[in-house]
Amino acid sequence: MAEITNYKVAASPHKLDRSNTRRIMLDVLIALAPCLVCGVLFYGLYALMLVAICVAACFASEQVYNLIRKKPFTFDLSAVVTGVILGLNLPPRAPWYIPIVGGVFAIVVVKMIFGGLGKNFANPAATARVFLLLAYSSVMTQYIGADLSNVLAGDVTTGATYLGGGIAALQDSFLNIGGYWGYVLQLLFGYVGGSIGETCKLAVLAGGVYLTARRVIDWRIPVVYLLTAAAMVLVCYGSASEILLQLFSGGLMFGAVFMATDYATSPKWRYNRVLYAIGLGVITVLIRRYGSYPEGTSLAILIMNLFVPIMDKYLLPVRFGQTSKSGKPKPQVMKWAMRCVCIALAAAIAVAVPLVNYTEVQLYTGRFSYVTDAKREFGGGYVFSVEGEAYLDQYDYTQPLAYEIKLNAEGDKVLSVRPITQSTMGYVANLAFFEGKTFDEIAALTDLSTDAETSATYTNTALRKMILECFTAYDANIADYSAISASGEHIVKAERCGDLYRFTLSGVADLAEYNYQQPLAYAITIDAAAGKVKYITTINESTYGYTVDREIFVGKTAEEIAAMTDETIASDITTGATITNAAVRDLIGECFAALEGAAKGGAE
Amino acid sequence: MKTFTKGVHPAGCKDLSEREKIGAGPEPAHVWLALSQHIGAPAVPVVEPGQRVLRGQLVAKKAEGLSANIYSPIAGVVKEVAGHITISGKKKDHIRIENDFTDEEMLLPRLAEPDGAAVLARIEEAGIVGMGGAGFPTAAKLAVGGRADVLVVNGAECEPYITCDHRIMLEYADDLLRGIRFAMLACGAKRAVIGIEKNKRDAIELLSAKCGGDISVRPLRTRYPQGAEKQLVYGCTGRTIPEGKLPVDAGAVVVNVHTALSIFRAVELGEPCYRRVMTVSGKAAKKCGNFWVKNGTPLRDLAGFCGGDENCARIVCGGPMMGDAVFSLKICTAKTSSSLLFLDESECESKVASVCIGCGRCVQACPMGLSPTFIEEALFKKDYAEAKRYGALACIGCGCCSYVCPAKRFLAQSVKLAKKIIGERKI
């Protein structure tokens, strides 16, 4: 038998895991690929050029540094990873020198000066982004809208991001889905303005799943980061619907997956990572909500990076069988604390989301007597806050009232009424009158007496008016009208939504006695099918109480209104609202006339 | 099922040898019996050069304190007591015996119906040591004075390639169970738990069927280092051995499957500990399998017996995770040698350490909850107190940290060195 001679000696273990530094960096690059592809699709080849410049700058500056310091060249791909991540962090139309400045800063100042790979205390890409934001504020916040036609075209319109411009920066609908889910979807697909690589959350998620499956990153960091951020959004914005909008906007998810998980600058022990991720979530949302920068991810990562060495030094894993000085097993404080915090965060979100799942609805149109606020609930439906009073003349007592009235998503039915303030003596509204009723049913209610003795009738009557106003507010602000053409002396705008025609009119109430002309503006909605006035929304009228009495007109036909004389519409002679009412009567007449014309026009 | 956290899961590679029946090993022309095949003081030779000894004859007697007797595995003539290289690279005293191939034996008398004290005395007399690899004299381990209520039998065999315990459990199940009863008798334990990793399903089924009453089988998750003492006791009993303490402090005594078999053979057959089952495996081995190998057999004889071809890139004595690379085939086997692996290039990459990228995988992998990368950093700064704070003293040397390191750093060696320095300087 031939003697075995060519065997070598090596230290144990003789079997090794297949991973190595370069393979890890390659995995990160693979995970970044979808982000890069989406960035190029949405923002054009110019964006690809920026990333390429950034990679070249990072790689070259690392080698030049090595040359100067007489160190061996490094080919571990880590500079390429930094270059791609920083490149994807840039705005799509940054000038060509921005990636060069950023790349050199990231590699030389942040990484190499501190000893190179694994020795830097802050994430090079995050630090460089913050540096660029401070040094080139205007170009670093110049975003463009995403458009598939951007790929080759150089000229594009500048656009805002959701974080900078709010809902207004987003398109009204996406993939034919409008409203809230439309916003969420376009943020998820990344078809919005933002940095090259961080807008498409699906690409980021794909990268994150790949890295987790390859065990390159610890899933705890992104998951806990997003969880904490969600809880913080709930606390700081007080709105559940904001959670998805915030998580899907800006660099939060990109940062959570690719930057917060950077090896050298994240803690080594899993529960320290949880703590680190909690810190990231808290700081990010605090900066976004209360700071002057719309984006907080990079800064949060930079700040938490600074805590990593001290966490690694003093928060150590409890060793197997470790005992405290008294000889008892050392409790796994950190482990259970982190688990409890995460469970508490998840539970808090689960409990709080149904309670605060709404979006604020801005009431731009209308001057309302009772409605103070409107919110859109998560699953559809609108909640109106109303405040008013019931005057109990026999007691000369004014009872303040406040309710939350929930209408369904179509705005044609009261789902529920929740009392906020009303009598504590038992004169409470009879909600059965209103809940589950449509506008017409409530408008037709005449007998509102619950109990003559308790005079809750006054409360019911006041509540009825409030509810009717909620419908009016819905019609004026939320209902989905489209413009039509209509002519009339006072008609400013005409719109249609199904059988409802809404006319916006302006006119004057001529108070000859006072030598005063009160400008008036109303939005009057007519139900063409019933031929009746449905809503009247006040846009402009007297602020001294000479207001239109909507009750006179609502639910009436053209003939009934035309037949009204000045006497029948006199609400209160002393206040002179009669003149306003008369003006409104004439405006309504004009609406009916215009409606007839519009219907004829439609028929032709 | 309770199991330790962390650890790693290297490829098992046990299929190379796990289906082969235990066969006879080589008959060496010479054996070199190390006087120190165990933890404790080297044994004292009781034979003179030129003296003829029989198989099973005492050649070195245990020294005072912790030590173990050594028996001749062959019949032949004692040639010399001289230094001979060992796997650690140090020269240590060995007794060289030349085989006369007569195979005359001289066994110990069999014990009939022994009590605990008699078993314990026989274990001591037969020179049985922990055959899993540690080599702690078994008699000393079992003499716990009734402080242990459970005997944990280590059939985990978590190291890749090694299958000797697996084959013993399959082929010597009855002998093994009797050996376990003797061990229970010796240490006073009321029950015994055999911990077996789930990748040895046939052994779990066989022993579950045969054992009963006070002996039970505990299937364990297949995870390295499941067979490490502390991890095994935790997996089998749910008890945690406090740091710096022995299993008996948690009321447990741990013996290896092979040790239990040796106890049976010493008591019932009168056969002292002079041979053992060894796994020979690896892609570069011509004949993989398990063999009864006599202590002191030079590795060259074993290599000649089982092959080992020119593709062999590394020869490892012991498991691939904790075993040592062989630098010379002159080295001889000992009581604790569980395997000899002939690995080819594909099975053992040679590594070049690069800079730590701070991934923290060593921290996630360490079954003892240490922070190897920080211990290494402290070691390089000569800040041994810091290394101790990160837990260097608790290292069990399993090598998980080096296994997972993507930068291929020599973490296990660094931690071992830190532990050694801290121990020597009493920091």
Side-chain angles (χ1 to χ4, degrees):
Chain A
M1 193 210 89
E3 182 83 337
I4 311 166
T5 49
N6 53 349
Y7 59 92
K8 295 201 171 57
V9 181
S12 67
H14 305 285
K15 273 216 161 291
L16 296 173
D17 193 56
R18 277 201 211 93
S19 68
N20 61 54
T21 304
R22 197 185 303 187
R23 174 71 222 195
I24 287 172
M25 297 302 168
L26 192 62
D27 273 335
V28 178
L29 288 177
I30 292 170
L32 284 164
C35 295
L36 182 60
V37 170
C38 290
V40 175
L41 282 179
F42 293 165
Y43 306 114
L45 289 171
Y46 185 85
L48 182 64
M49 187 193 80
L50 286 182
V51 178
I53 293 175
C54 198
V55 170
C58 287
F59 189 76
S61 58
E62 177 157 325
Q63 305 309 0
V64 169
Y65 184 90
N66 284 333
L67 198 67
I68 295 169
R69 292 285 313 271
K70 296 190 173 65
K71 288 175 178 229
F73 288 162
T74 42
F75 297 103
D76 51 30
L77 292 179
S78 68
V80 178
V81 168
T82 303
V84 174
I85 292 180
L86 179 59
L88 295 180
N89 264 299
L90 299 174
R93 289 294 178 271
W96 60 270
Y97 55 86
I98 290 289
I100 296 179
V101 174
V104 171
F105 182 86
I107 292 296
V108 175
V109 179
V110 188
K111 183 173 146 192
M112 298 311 282
I113 282 182
F114 291 96
L117 181 62
K119 303 289 194 298
N120 50 306
F121 65 86
N123 184 305
T127 314
R129 179 175 170 160
V130 171
F131 164 72
L132 290 174
L133 192 64
L134 294 174
Y136 302 91
S137 303
S138 58
V139 295
M140 284 300 286
T141 50
Q142 198 77 55
Y143 293 105
I144 61 168
D147 195 337
L148 290 175
S149 63
N150 279 351
V151 172
L152 291 171
D155 275 349
V156 279
T157 50
T158 55
T161 63
Y162 172 71
L163 293 177
I167 290 286
L170 303 177
Q171 298 158 33
D172 289 336
S173 69
F174 183 70
L175 299 174
N176 292 326
I177 298 171
Y180 178 71
W181 290 109
Y183 298 142
V184 171
L185 269 185
Q186 61 185 291
L187 285 169
L188 184 65
F189 279 87
Y191 209 61
V192 292
S195 300
I196 298 168
E198 63 187 28
T199 55
C200 185
K201 307 309 168 206
L202 289 176
V204 174
L205 276 176
V209 168
Y210 175 77
L211 289 180
T212 307
R214 294 278 307 162
R215 296 179 188 239
V216 170
I217 61 168
D218 190 338
W219 59 269
R220 290 175 186 84
I221 294 177
V223 170
V224 177
Y225 186 178
L226 296 179
L227 182 72
T228 314
M232 280 298 289
V233 168
L234 210 51
V235 171
C236 295
Y237 291 81
S239 155
S241 55
E242 191 70 22
I243 291 178
L244 286 180
L245 296 177
Q246 284 290 335
L247 293 191
F248 289 166
S249 57
L252 203 157
M253 285 186 65
F254 185 85
V257 170
F258 292 108
M259 287 150 85
T261 54
D262 173 41
Y263 284 154
T265 57
S266 62
K268 312 293 173 263
W269 181 37
R270 55 177 68 158
Y271 297 107
N272 278 348
R273 288 177 175 169
V274 174
L275 180 64
Y276 164 79
I278 291 172
L280 286 173
V282 170
I283 296 175
T284 303
V285 178
L286 285 180
I287 293 173
R288 280 190 177 184
R289 181 78 173 93
Y290 303 109
S292 44
Y293 287 104
E295 172 62 286
T297 309
S298 305
L299 214 48
I301 291 171
L302 185 51
I303 292 169
M304 284 313 293
N305 283 168
L306 305 180
F307 287 95
V308 167
I310 204 148
M311 279 159 65
D312 275 340
K313 195 173 170 75
Y314 291 109
L315 297 174
L316 298 180
V318 174
R319 300 193 294 273
F320 191 78
Q322 190 176 5
T323 49
S324 58
K325 275 178 189 142
S326 61
K328 291 207 176 72
K330 197 165 181 190
Q332 306 244 19
V333 178
M334 192 63 183
K335 175 177 166 181
W336 291 110
M338 288 304 113
R339 286 187 177 179
C340 289
V341 169
C342 288
I343 291 168
L345 285 173
I349 291 173
V351 169
V353 162
L355 296 180
V356 292
N357 56 354
Y358 54 76
T359 342
E360 293 290 333
V361 175
Q362 294 296 322
L363 298 177
Y364 291 110
T365 306
R367 205 187 273 164
F368 300 105
S369 315
Y370 311 113
V371 174
T372 56
D373 200 9
K375 293 179 268 193
R376 184 188 193 279
E377 289 215 311
F378 202 56
Y382 291 85
V383 176
F384 290 88
S385 303
V386 291
E387 285 171 17
E389 54 195 31
Y391 179 63
L392 304 159
D393 49 4
Q394 69 268 48
Y395 305 106
D396 191 21
Y397 172 73
T398 305
Q399 168 65 47
L401 299 174
Y403 296 90
E404 270 188 6
I405 292 150
K406 187 173 171 186
L407 304 188
N408 65 357
E410 291 73 39
D412 54 15
K413 195 188 259 185
V414 175
L415 294 178
S416 63
V417 177
R418 190 162 77 90
I420 306 290
T421 311
Q422 57 180 357
S423 166
T424 51
M425 308 288 282
Y427 307 134
V428 295
N430 180 7
L431 305 182
F433 279 139
F434 310 107
E435 285 183 335
K437 300 286 172 60
T438 63
F439 173 83
D440 293 328
E441 286 167 336
I442 294 168
L445 279 175
T446 46
D447 182 15
L448 286 165
S449 56
T450 347
D451 177 351
E453 293 302 307
T454 59
S455 56
T457 313
Y458 290 98
T459 306
N460 287 338
T461 308
L463 180 56
R464 175 176 165 273
K465 284 191 172 178
M466 293 176 185
I467 291 174
L468 292 178
E469 196 179 80
C470 291
F471 282 106
T472 308
Y474 179 94
D475 183 69
N477 287 282
I478 300 160
D480 194 14
Y481 279 86
S482 49
I484 55 168
S485 63
S487 57
E489 190 192 343
H490 297 100
I491 293 173
V492 179
K493 194 162 65 172
E495 292 151 303
R496 183 184 170 186
C497 170
D499 282 336
L500 297 181
Y501 288 79
R502 184 168 71 195
F503 298 93
T504 308
L505 307 103
S506 65
V508 289
D510 192 358
L511 301 156
E513 280 178 62
Y514 304 100
N515 195 20
Y516 176 69
Q517 289 199 321
Q518 168 65 44
L520 301 175
Y522 297 96
I524 294 164
T525 305
I526 293 168
D527 184 344
K532 288 176 178 172
V533 174
K534 189 145 191 181
Y535 308 114
I536 300 172
T537 307
T538 305
I539 296 168
N540 190 12
E541 63 181 8
S542 162
T543 51
Y544 293 102
Y546 307 134
T547 57
V548 66
D549 187 349
R550 284 184 281 203
E551 291 279 310
I552 299 173
F553 304 106
V554 167
K556 302 284 164 51
T557 62
E559 292 73 30
E560 287 170 322
I561 291 169
M564 287 174 182
T565 62
D566 282 2
E567 284 68 44
T568 55
I569 60 173
S571 37
D572 180 350
I573 299 298
T574 51
T575 60
T578 311
I579 299 169
T580 305
N581 285 343
V584 171
R585 181 194 61 195
D586 298 341
L587 290 176
I588 292 172
E590 195 177 320
C591 293
F592 276 112
L595 180 63
E596 215 161 281
K600 272 182 194 157
E604 285 162 9
Chain B
M1 186 177 65
K2 270 204 164 175
T3 194
F4 69 101
T5 53
K6 307 178 181 180
V8 295
H9 184 55
C13 304
K14 288 176 189 272
D15 50 340
L16 288 170
S17 58
E18 69 185 344
R19 279 179 291 278
E20 303 294 325
K21 284 209 160 195
I22 301 172
E27 194 65 26
H30 292 264
V31 293
W32 279 263
L33 292 171
L35 294 175
S36 184
Q37 302 183 20
H38 47 259
I39 291 174
V44 183
V46 292
V47 290
E48 295 292 326
Q51 184 182 335
R52 183 158 189 271
V53 292
L54 303 181
R55 173 162 66 82
Q57 186 178 340
L58 184 73
V59 292
K61 196 165 170 48
K62 78 186 275 279
E64 286 295 308
L66 205 58
S67 187
N69 287 337
I70 289 165
Y71 291 83
S72 170
I74 51 172
V77 180
V78 176
K79 284 296 179 187
E80 57 180 344
V81 180
H84 190 79
I85 51 169
T86 60
I87 190 76
S88 68
K90 285 181 187 157
K91 265 197 172 178
K92 285 188 179 164
D93 281 344
H94 284 60
I95 300 173
R96 179 158 71 89
I97 303 171
E98 193 182 74
N99 200 344
D100 60 12
F101 298 101
T102 59
D103 202 28
E104 281 181 68
E105 63 175 15
M106 187 176 95
L107 298 181
L108 301 168
R110 296 176 183 193
L111 293 183
E113 305 283 324
D115 60 359
V119 171
L120 206 55
R122 171 53 60 92
I123 291 170
E124 182 169 2
E125 189 187 1
I128 297 172
V129 302
M131 320 243 328
F136 193 86
T138 306
K141 189 184 241 183
L142 292 177
V144 292
R147 284 201 292 145
D149 64 332
V150 57
L151 177 79
V152 175
V153 182
N154 189 352
E157 205 163 49
C158 55
E159 281 259 16
Y161 292 97
I162 307 182
T163 54
C164 58
D165 290 352
H166 186 189
R167 288 314 304 179
I168 286 172
M169 288 189 282
L170 289 178
E171 294 178 36
Y172 297 94
D174 296 313
D175 295 359
L176 171 64
L177 290 172
R178 309 232 9 213
I180 291 170
R181 293 218 182 270
F182 287 132
M184 287 163 72
L185 210 57
C187 70
K190 289 178 204 64
R191 64 190 179 97
V193 182
I194 311 172
I196 307 173
E197 270 193 356
K198 282 179 173 169
N199 57 0
K200 292 174 269 292
R201 192 162 293 280
D202 46 358
I204 293 173
E205 281 165 9
L206 181 70
L207 287 176
S208 300
K210 284 183 184 288
C211 72
D214 46 2
I215 302 179
S216 59
V217 171
R218 177 94 179 167
L220 299 167
R221 184 173 160 221
T222 306
R223 187 109 186 132
Y224 180 85
Q226 191 63 268
E229 195 170 65
K230 294 183 180 202
Q231 280 69 20
L232 183 77
V233 169
Y234 182 75
C236 288
T237 67
R239 299 176 197 173
T240 305
I241 302 167
E243 214 165 57
K245 297 282 174 62
L246 295 170
V248 71
D249 293 301
V253 169
V254 183
V255 295
N256 180 261
V257 162
H258 201 324
T259 313
L261 179 70
S262 298
I263 292 172
F264 164 81
R265 297 177 83 89
V267 174
E268 294 247 319
L269 309 178
E271 180 189 287
C273 181
Y274 62 72
R275 61 175 190 169
R276 66 162 295 142
V277 179
M278 262 180 94
T279 301
V280 177
S281 189
K283 283 183 186 160
K286 284 198 179 113
K287 193 160 80 178
C288 293
N290 289 285
F291 307 97
W292 281 104
V293 177
K294 300 188 163 168
N295 291 347
T297 305
L299 297 183
R300 174 166 288 119
D301 288 43
L302 209 52
F305 183 76
C306 301
D309 53 30
E310 57 280 0
N311 294 331
C312 183
R314 198 178 296 173
I315 304 174
V316 176
C317 188
M321 294 298 287
M322 286 179 77
D324 295 307
V326 172
F327 60 92
S328 163
L329 291 173
K330 286 183 191 163
I331 297 162
C332 300
T333 67
K335 292 173 184 173
T336 53
S337 311
S338 54
S339 70
L340 189 66
L341 308 176
F342 297 92
L343 306 177
D344 70 10
E345 284 290 348
S346 69
E347 295 171 290
C348 57
E349 318 151 51
S350 41
K351 63 179 186 180
V352 179
S354 56
V355 292
C356 173
I357 56 172
C359 65
R361 289 182 189 191
C362 52
V363 180
Q364 309 306 333
C366 180
M368 294 305 289
L370 317 185
S371 307
T373 178
F374 297 124
I375 295 174
E376 187 181 61
E377 203 180 309
L379 174 77
F380 292 165
K381 288 182 195 155
K382 296 192 166 57
D383 187 350
Y384 303 113
E386 185 74 354
K388 188 181 174 186
R389 207 175 62 78
Y390 283 116
L393 283 183
C395 176
I396 57 170
C398 64
C400 288
C401 45
S402 291
Y403 175 83
V404 294
C405 183
K408 310 294 173 200
R409 297 193 68 76
F410 293 85
L411 291 165
Q413 283 71 27
S414 291
V415 179
K416 207 183 221 175
L417 179 60
K419 183 178 177 179
K420 186 161 172 259
I421 293 173
I422 294 166
E424 280 169 2
R425 301 190 186 173
K426 298 190 170 61
I427 290 162

